[in-house]
Amino acid sequence: MDMLEKELEELKGFIADLKNDRAAQKEKEKREAWTRHTSLSLVLLAVLAAVATQWGGKFSSRVLVNLNDSTFQQSQASDQMELLPGKVDQSRTFTK
């Protein structure tokens, strides 16, 4: 009987230790619950930053295309302006 009571006491002690460990684990999870929210917020922020970067790249490409077109149109206008003084001079020479 003595042996049985001793084992029963050991079992009770073991169960008490398990309950204490479980309670400590739950308390630790409660204290560290904010880290989950923080990590999710950081992931969301990273995704938004990536999307914004992609949109910025798209806008940058459009700006470069417009700048290229503007440069081309400016060179065409410059070529046309080079022809204009020759035409004006010819009209003056014929009106004598």
Side-chain angles (χ1 to χ4, degrees):
M1 225 16 145
D2 223 12
M3 180 96 149
L4 189 59
E5 287 178 10
K6 184 178 178 182
E7 286 182 15
L8 189 60
E9 288 300 319
E10 284 179 15
L11 253 151
K12 285 181 182 178
F14 182 68
I15 291 172
D17 287 343
L18 283 176
K19 284 183 181 179
N20 289 338
D21 287 345
R22 187 172 181 197
Q25 183 66 25
K26 283 188 177 185
E27 184 63 32
K28 182 181 177 184
E29 287 175 3
K30 282 183 183 179
R31 281 191 314 242
E32 295 177 356
W34 65 273
T35 59
R36 184 176 189 192
H37 298 292
T38 303
S39 63
L40 289 175
S41 298
L42 286 175
V43 167
L44 181 63
L45 184 63
V47 168
L48 289 176
V51 169
T53 301
Q54 292 297 320
W55 281 357
K58 182 170 54 173
F59 178 74
S60 174
S61 296
R62 287 181 185 169
V63 167
L64 288 175
V65 167
N66 288 339
L67 182 62
N68 227 0
D69 290 343
S70 299
T71 305
F72 178 71
Q73 290 171 357
Q74 187 177 8
S75 68
Q76 282 184 331
S78 176
D79 291 346
Q80 292 296 321
M81 289 301 290
E82 287 177 7
L83 298 175
L84 187 61
K87 289 183 180 178
V88 171
D89 289 342
Q90 287 177 357
S91 66
R92 287 183 184 167
T93 57
F94 290 124
T95 56
K96 278 188 178 178

